[in-house]
Amino acid sequence: MLEAVQEELLTITRGGPVDAFAWLGPHRDGDGIRIRTFQPGAERVEVIADGRVAAELAPGIADGIFEARLADLPRPYLLRITWPGGAVQETEDPYAFGPVLGELDVHLLAEGRHRELWRALGAHVATIDGIPGVRFAVWAPNAARVSVVGDFNVWDGRRHPMRLRREAGVWELFIPRLAEGARYKYELLDAAGRVLPLKADPVAQQAEPAPATASIVPDPRPPVWSARALPARSDGPMSIYEVHAGSWARGDGDRVLQWDEIGERLIPYVQDMGFTHIELLPVMVHPFGGSWGYQPLGQFAPHANLGTPDAFARFVDRAHAAGIGVILDWVPAHFPTDAHGLARFDGTALYEHSDPREGFHRDWNTAIYNFGRHEVRGFLIASALYWLQHYRVDGLRVDAVASMLYRDYSRNPGEWVPNRYGGRENLEAVEFLRELSRAVAERCPGAMLIAEESTAWPGVTRPADEGGLGFTHKWNMGWMHDTLDYMHHEPVHRSWHHDSMTFGLIYAFTERFVLPLSHDEVVHGKGSLIGKMPGDDWQRFANLRAYLSFMWGHPGKKLLFMGGEFAQRREWNHDISLDWHLLDHTSHRGMQRLVADLNRLHATLPALHRHDFDPEGFTWLVSDDRTQSVFAFLRRGDAADLPVLVVVNFTPMPRHDYRIGVPIAGAWNEILNSDAAVYGGSGIGNGGTVLAEATPLHGQPASLRLTLPPLGALMLTPSLG
């Protein structure tokens, strides 16, 4: 028996796989109590009770083990540890505490149904039996040992091995007297007893700034909110300003701004520009800045390089106080394989598939989540709910949905595994997305869930209970590619590509679309938006003004990546600020003013937003004038709302006396002319008002004659007078 005990204790001192709670702490020993602790390097260890020494622990049968037999267990008791040099530490014994997770938590964790996973797993400041400290819990079912390591134990994995709650595969430990702000990781042994690279906490709510990789015990106090979350309105205006927080603007010396500084500058700017929402490229912890956040490793923690979690909460609160919604890019499609992250977390393919044909993206050099595993689905769904509930963000834009839906995504024949029916659809990912959308709808009513989905997968925005995926919106990638391709052509060639501008209306109401001009279109050699426009400098600006006006008139919510609103000339670079000095030039100020005016009209005229997803809100008037590259359509709201006539001439030739049918005879006001001098245009237009005659045309009872400016767009509404 003594030899068996000695072997177990030697295993503890060597950092091997052993149930530490079976040997450390207080245990019944005949009619007494044996207290045992492992304190490598200590000179003396004493048990303190009621302020006095109750016992001195003697060195045990293994190096670093101290133990003593007492008649009774003093409660509570402290360990007084004397270290070389005379330093004395007093602390409660971590192995004198019982389990820290309740049975309900363990049950929900085992089933992958813990919707508030961040409250159970991770690190939490807590008081147990009146003793302050930090409780830790981590899912690692195939590990032979898991320990908490940090500055508090000189990163020695032998000192704080955890207890396994076997039914859930979760390891837990309470470390008394530890406090918020402590750095920590987990040291794991795989099933063969091999030490793995130290792992950051998958459910950490705070982390060190990159390139450091430790997790941090977070402040337990919830954010303080001064503003209410914004009410959700599916028929309301939505004009989204997409932002990479680290490069929208920089401080002195090209310093990355922190959240409070970003909020002071960005939110008033967005408010002045009339955007309704800010969409942030991923703000979750990511090890490589060049991924722009799209390779996240901390699905529950804001990226520390931009500030603390509290500072991010203040940013959201400030946006809401200004009436601006906040949408976060969220990445459940893949994760990087950095050694401190999720990859082979416990020595096995825990979060990912073991077969690289299912579990690895060669395009991005990343691992793919195993959506067929209920614990992984629960982990991701809890992450989504965390940002919506804890930080009160208004929505999530889900990245790379197409890569999730198809097993053969970016793979050649023979490089992918068919589903159980022999098809290419990823049935497990489909069920995950439906489970996600149901959970968001149930727990966060009104929150947006926006899919970046680039294929024709049916029912992306149909409710999950009706066979859809349950997203509230979908990016219209087809519209973006078609229209940008059209704009790239010289005007003289556009007649041959006329259908690129009309094709989107064939399917515009099959989903609840967002029209995106996103960051993906201004990187990797694609140039800037203004750089995609043909012609000389004047024509490029005129083209872009007309194109943005066409976009704002078109059915669908709007999204514009930062810099596009003032015609940033160079391609976006995530390492430097936008070129705000360009606003010293009239052409760039004019573009910025146009976008602000488009946002104002979009918000104040219900016809431009109320029926974005309803064909009753749109009527083609001129869709077939390919010779002159002219498009005209009506946008309608409800019966009491003014209709809006949108006309665009995509050639540099002004068109005089161009007759277009309208629904109402009488005066029509020219409420926007993209060629106006205030926008940097030539000033050709209609003098503010045009009279519609009772002459039917284009299926309408009246018509008017317009002067169409070169490379220009017009918006008109009937006069109330």
Side-chain angles (χ1 to χ4, degrees):
M1 178 65 178
L2 183 61
E3 289 182 358
V5 172
Q6 185 174 14
E7 185 58 36
E8 292 293 317
L9 295 178
L10 284 171
T11 301
I12 290 175
T13 66
R14 295 166 182 160
V18 67
D19 179 5
F21 277 87
W23 302 102
L24 301 181
H27 293 275
R28 179 65 59 184
D29 185 4
D31 59 355
I33 297 293
R34 183 173 297 276
I35 295 178
R36 187 182 288 122
T37 185
F38 176 51
Q39 303 295 339
E43 291 185 344
R44 175 187 296 180
V45 180
E46 300 164 301
V47 174
I48 305 299
D50 296 325
R52 61 182 179 81
V53 176
E56 180 172 344
L57 304 188
I61 56 180
D63 187 34
I65 297 291
F66 293 82
E67 59 183 305
R69 188 176 184 278
L70 290 76
D72 292 300
L73 177 65
R75 284 198 178 276
Y77 72 87
L78 295 172
L79 298 175
R80 178 185 289 166
I81 307 163
T82 303
W83 300 101
V88 176
Q89 173 190 5
E90 288 191 357
T91 182
E92 289 77 13
D93 186 349
Y95 298 95
F97 293 86
V100 300
L101 290 174
E103 291 304 318
L104 178 59
D105 281 329
V106 172
H107 176 71
L108 293 174
L109 290 168
E111 294 186 346
R113 293 191 302 112
H114 205 305
R115 292 296 183 247
E116 296 185 347
L117 193 70
W118 65 91
R119 300 190 191 280
L121 300 186
H124 298 271
V125 172
T127 299
I128 297 180
D129 296 337
I131 306 302
V134 176
R135 61 175 176 85
F136 297 88
V138 62
W139 180 55
N142 303 305
R145 171 178 64 77
V146 181
S147 298
V148 186
V149 295
D151 298 322
F152 48 87
N153 62 13
V154 295
W155 301 88
D156 184 347
R158 301 174 301 162
R159 293 175 182 260
H160 286 105
M162 305 173 80
R163 173 194 288 113
L164 174 62
R165 304 296 294 273
R166 204 170 292 277
E167 60 271 45
V170 172
W171 300 76
E172 61 173 16
L173 184 69
F174 176 69
I175 301 182
R177 304 296 168 180
L178 204 58
E180 66 181 83
R183 300 191 310 146
Y184 72 98
K185 286 186 179 181
Y186 296 115
E187 181 183 273
L188 295 88
L189 303 186
D190 67 12
R194 293 182 293 257
V195 180
L196 301 175
L198 294 183
K199 296 287 188 177
D201 190 340
V203 190
Q205 295 178 50
Q206 188 171 353
E208 286 186 293
T213 57
S215 303
I216 294 177
V217 176
D219 185 338
R221 295 167 295 184
V224 177
W225 304 106
S226 64
R228 294 182 178 180
L230 299 183
R233 286 190 56 198
S234 61
D235 63 346
M238 186 187 301
S239 178
I240 304 167
Y241 189 54
E242 190 188 30
V243 172
H244 177 259
S247 62
W248 179 76
R250 292 289 183 106
D252 296 338
D254 205 32
R255 177 180 57 85
V256 174
L257 299 180
Q258 303 294 285
W259 282 118
D260 288 325
E261 299 172 294
I262 295 168
E264 289 173 2
R265 301 188 192 188
L266 174 61
I267 291 169
Y269 177 77
V270 170
Q271 191 175 33
D272 289 344
M273 287 296 298
F275 289 99
T276 62
H277 293 76
I278 297 168
E279 180 175 318
L280 295 169
L281 272 60
V283 300
M284 299 77 188
V285 171
H286 52 277
F288 175 49
S291 76
W292 318 324
Y294 287 102
Q295 293 197 8
L297 274 182
Q299 289 283 27
F300 293 81
H303 194 51
N305 297 60
L306 298 173
T308 65
D310 276 350
F312 176 68
R314 288 194 296 271
F315 174 87
V316 175
D317 193 45
R318 185 168 188 159
H320 287 166
I324 297 166
V326 177
I327 301 167
L328 302 184
D329 275 13
W330 181 65
V331 188
H334 59 106
F335 61 89
T337 57
D338 298 61
H340 70 280
L342 301 180
R344 300 194 66 83
F345 186 79
D346 62 1
T348 67
L350 189 62
Y351 287 88
E352 70 272 38
H353 292 272
S354 58
D355 188 335
R357 295 176 299 168
E358 297 183 275
F360 193 75
H361 271 308
R362 290 177 303 179
D363 290 357
W364 303 316
N365 198 33
T366 53
I368 302 171
Y369 288 104
N370 182 353
F371 302 114
R373 186 161 193 165
H374 61 265
E375 297 98 337
V376 174
R377 293 197 306 274
F379 169 79
L380 291 169
I381 291 170
S383 167
L385 295 173
Y386 176 72
W387 298 98
L388 294 168
Q389 293 179 212
H390 183 76
Y391 287 110
R392 296 189 178 183
V393 301
D394 303 276
L396 300 174
R397 177 265 197 186
V398 183
D399 179 66
V401 171
S403 76
M404 301 166 65
L405 292 174
Y406 300 97
R407 287 176 164 266
D408 63 346
Y409 181 87
S410 195
R411 296 180 187 273
N412 297 318
E415 296 177 347
W416 56 281
V417 179
N419 64 32
R420 60 182 177 271
Y421 303 113
R424 61 195 286 256
E425 299 81 7
N426 190 328
L427 303 179
E428 294 81 7
V430 170
E431 286 308 307
F432 160 68
L433 292 171
R434 288 173 174 163
E435 188 178 350
L436 168 70
S437 64
R438 289 189 185 104
V440 169
E442 175 186 348
R443 291 176 171 263
C444 308
M448 290 177 285
L449 200 61
I450 305 169
E452 185 213 14
E453 202 285 302
S454 55
T455 75
W457 185 280
V460 172
T461 57
R462 190 185 310 138
D465 293 339
E466 298 175 15
L469 297 182
F471 286 90
T472 62
H473 301 80
K474 171 182 172 174
W475 273 22
N476 194 336
M477 311 290 280
W479 177 91
M480 177 184 69
H481 290 304
D482 288 346
T483 58
L484 281 176
D485 179 71
Y486 176 89
M487 295 305 301
H488 178 74
H489 291 287
E490 294 284 349
V492 68
H493 299 135
R494 284 176 177 166
S495 62
W496 302 100
H497 304 274
H498 194 79
D499 295 343
S500 293
M501 298 298 274
T502 60
F503 182 68
L505 269 303
I506 294 176
Y507 61 88
F509 307 108
T510 60
E511 302 277 7
R512 297 164 57 87
F513 281 120
V514 173
L515 308 182
L517 292 177
S518 74
H519 65 279
D520 279 329
E521 303 314 305
V522 293
V523 291
H524 299 320
K526 297 179 183 178
S528 63
L529 281 183
I530 192 69
K532 299 178 192 297
M533 302 296 121
D536 59 22
D537 210 49
W538 187 93
Q539 290 193 14
R540 284 200 297 271
F541 276 87
N543 269 303
L544 184 54
R545 291 195 302 268
Y547 177 50
L548 293 177
S549 301
F550 176 85
M551 173 182 173
W552 256 253
H554 195 286
K557 306 308 180 185
K558 324 301 176 196
L559 179 143
L560 183 63
F561 184 59
M562 64 184 199
E565 80 278 11
F566 64 82
Q568 167 105 355
R569 288 183 180 270
R570 62 171 176 80
E571 186 174 277
W572 171 54
N573 182 340
H574 68 275
D575 281 328
I576 58 177
S577 169
L578 294 179
D579 294 331
W580 293 103
H581 63 273
L582 292 175
L583 290 173
D584 294 337
H585 302 281
T586 301
S587 55
H588 293 277
R589 287 199 308 273
M591 187 70 68
Q592 185 188 51
R593 179 168 179 175
L594 172 74
V595 172
D597 285 350
L598 287 170
N599 278 334
R600 176 179 53 80
L601 294 174
H602 174 70
T604 57
L605 294 173
L608 289 178
H609 63 252
R610 182 159 288 166
H611 294 297
D612 271 330
F613 312 128
D614 183 349
E616 293 184 6
F618 178 88
T619 302
W620 272 121
L621 300 173
V622 178
S623 63
D624 57 355
D625 188 358
R626 63 178 62 241
T627 302
Q628 300 185 91
S629 298
V630 172
F631 304 85
F633 51 86
L634 280 174
R635 294 296 309 276
R636 290 190 173 92
D638 293 339
D641 299 326
L642 291 176
V644 178
L645 170 64
V646 181
V647 188
V648 190
N649 170 23
F650 280 118
T651 69
M653 300 286 294
R655 309 288 179 188
H656 299 286
D657 294 325
Y658 195 100
R659 184 178 285 273
I660 298 175
V662 290
I664 301 171
W668 282 68
N669 297 325
E670 190 176 73
I671 58 173
L672 183 125
N673 178 350
S674 70
D675 191 49
V678 293
Y679 304 138
S682 62
I684 296 175
N686 298 275
T689 303
V690 183
L691 191 64
E693 305 166 351
T695 303
L697 186 65
H698 299 139
Q700 304 298 317
S703 58
L704 44 70
R705 293 180 183 272
L706 292 173
T707 294
L708 307 186
L711 296 173
L714 303 174
M715 290 187 183
L716 301 97
T717 57
S719 174
L720 292 175

